[in-house]
Amino acid sequence: MPTGGRVGPTLAVSAVVVAAALAVAARAQGGRDATVPKPSTLPNPYRLVPDWPTLPATMKGPNGRKWGEVIRVHVAPNGNVWVFHRCFYDKPNGDATCLNRGDANPPILEFNPAGRLLRGFGVGLFAHPHGFTLDKDGNIWTTDTNDQETILGMPAKNALGVAVGQEVLKISSTGNVLMRIGTPGVGGNGPYTFDRPTGVAIAANGDIFVADGHSPNKSNGARVVKYSPDGKFLKAWGRLGPEPGNFKEPHDIYVGGSKGYVYVADRLNNRVQVFDQDGNFVAAWKQFGQPSSVYVDTRDNIYVGATFQDASRGQSVTGPTTGGNDRAIVIGNAITGELKYLIPDPGDLSAMTDTGTSASGIAADDNGNIYAADVGFNNLRKYVKTD
């Protein structure tokens, strides 16, 4: 994913806004305090595109639903939209799997910008899809967070009897596996073992960054692992904890913007953490809420799929909310942390009882359209700017 230069008018950030952002970051460095209130006064210049994309009638979710659990979405250099989902199967919620779903349920789907399905593949490669991105050459990178030997009574193995999960895969745009990092079915925190890897991001030079440590995991791990373009271990940083540079469920990761920073959705620490590519701490931002997803475009806009939890709910990201709809996409400046826009979720997850991280994946295209992988309501959303 190439690093882009800054374009457009220079941002005029007031001293008050900068001071507030720094204060929030300072609080984030001090511990596990609750997320800030949802910034509901921010403008929303986006509208939801109805009935996008188009799925064939044979590829509908259970009980007539359009989708199962959609976990991630990204846009390729050619403008096509790629989706990573849990194979149209979502029962029980949060435990959806791609095991034994058959050829009609491919976990990776490609759509053209108009929303027409072009192809799907990846059958047999995944048990529990999670991390997903594309590099500048259009290759697909994925992670699988499965750490169980059986799922819903089924052995977590592929057709060859090999364990599935705990891996990062590089896959061509035609579905060929080009590289594997990790030890299939084996968890750990070594240089070539993961324990529930949540996300993967590719720098402009091809270096690979993996967010490792979905909560809970057996190693009590929470870190970022860096590899060379050919998959050689380079370094790792972070452990379980609230301090700057440590994590509690690094749920998503992205490398980009004009500075090529590493952005981590440090979900259960209620902050987005920012690093350089050597792992040096830059900032911790709590003003974006409790993040499940993070994406940065070439214009240094940061997009975060967030929950703004009531403090009485503690660190949980599941279960019903205590009030109105407190989930949203938050858009800001990826260098200063200044907030710009807020897109409230179209569905109110307060009525749900078992899952509730709505925009668990997020991306934007070169035209500024936003795509949200809605794992809570089993949907894929597209937004266009109205002005």
Side-chain angles (χ1 to χ4, degrees):
M1 293 174 186
T3 304
R6 299 186 67 175
V7 297
T10 302
L11 291 170
V13 183
S14 70
V16 172
V17 171
V18 172
L22 290 175
V24 169
R27 289 197 301 272
Q29 298 172 27
R32 292 169 51 193
D33 50 328
T35 53
V36 298
K38 186 170 71 173
S40 301
T41 58
L42 291 173
N44 176 18
Y46 292 88
R47 67 173 178 84
L48 182 65
V49 178
D51 299 321
W52 190 99
T54 302
L55 280 174
T58 56
M59 298 180 69
K60 298 289 184 179
N63 302 316
R65 289 186 179 181
K66 186 174 182 180
W67 295 95
E69 290 183 352
V70 187
I71 186 66
R72 293 286 162 86
V73 59
H74 269 284
V75 182
N78 65 2
N80 287 347
V81 180
W82 289 83
V83 177
F84 201 31
H85 75 120
R86 293 173 184 156
C87 303
F88 299 104
Y89 191 84
D90 64 348
K91 295 295 181 184
N93 291 78
D95 293 317
T97 181
C98 285
L99 289 177
N100 299 327
R101 296 299 170 218
D103 292 341
N105 288 281
I108 299 173
L109 304 174
E110 180 188 17
F111 297 88
N112 68 10
R116 180 171 63 87
L117 180 66
L118 302 177
R119 71 180 107 183
F121 52 75
V123 172
L125 293 179
F126 310 100
H128 199 253
H130 206 281
F132 187 69
T133 195
L134 289 98
D135 64 25
K136 62 184 179 182
D137 298 318
N139 296 308
I140 299 155
W141 296 79
T142 67
T143 78
D144 189 328
T145 57
N146 176 55
D147 64 348
Q148 303 297 311
E149 294 183 2
T150 62
I151 301 176
L152 303 178
M154 297 178 288
K157 296 181 178 181
N158 61 22
L160 299 176
V162 178
V164 181
Q166 306 284 40
E167 274 192 298
V168 172
L169 300 185
K170 177 184 181 182
I171 305 170
S172 73
S173 60
T174 56
N176 296 316
V177 177
L178 304 176
M179 184 190 301
R180 295 176 181 265
I181 308 175
T183 307
V186 178
N189 55 9
Y192 298 103
T193 55
F194 303 113
D195 206 345
R196 309 195 72 200
T198 59
V200 56
I202 311 300
N205 68 352
D207 283 347
I208 305 158
F209 295 80
V210 180
D212 184 32
H214 198 292
S215 180
N217 63 74
K218 297 170 185 176
S219 301
N220 288 322
R223 60 178 183 159
V224 171
V225 194
K226 179 180 179 181
Y227 298 89
S228 66
D230 61 357
K232 179 182 177 181
F233 173 80
L234 297 177
K235 69 185 307 179
W237 72 85
R239 56 178 173 78
L240 187 65
E243 303 81 10
N246 291 329
F247 308 98
K248 187 175 183 186
E249 196 177 51
H251 196 261
D252 195 13
I253 187 169
Y254 192 79
V255 180
S258 62
K259 294 185 178 295
Y261 282 155
V262 179
Y263 297 84
V264 181
D266 186 11
R267 184 158 79 170
L268 295 187
N269 274 326
N270 298 325
R271 64 193 180 189
V272 173
Q273 289 205 73
V274 187
F275 305 89
D276 68 20
Q277 292 188 23
D278 290 322
N280 296 307
F281 176 83
V282 175
W285 294 330
K286 293 184 73 69
Q287 60 267 37
F288 291 92
Q290 185 178 78
S292 285
S293 55
V294 61
Y295 177 84
V296 176
D297 68 19
T298 58
R299 297 175 176 84
D300 285 330
N301 295 303
I302 182 171
Y303 306 80
V304 178
T307 302
F308 293 87
Q309 301 282 30
D310 186 299
S312 65
R313 297 187 63 222
Q315 300 296 311
S316 174
V317 295
T318 60
T321 60
T322 55
N325 191 353
D326 59 3
R327 292 164 172 85
I329 295 170
V330 188
I331 304 167
N333 183 287
I335 305 302
T336 67
E338 178 191 12
L339 301 183
K340 296 180 180 180
Y341 308 121
L342 182 137
I343 307 173
D345 278 12
D348 186 356
L349 286 170
S350 64
M352 298 188 71
T353 59
D354 46 18
T355 190
T357 52
S358 187
S360 198
I362 197 164
D365 62 24
D366 289 342
N367 296 318
N369 301 314
I370 301 172
Y371 303 87
D374 192 339
V375 75
F377 269 111
N378 308 294
N379 196 18
L380 178 66
R381 293 184 259 137
K382 177 181 179 178
Y383 293 93
V384 297
K385 205 165 185 181
T386 57
D387 56 11

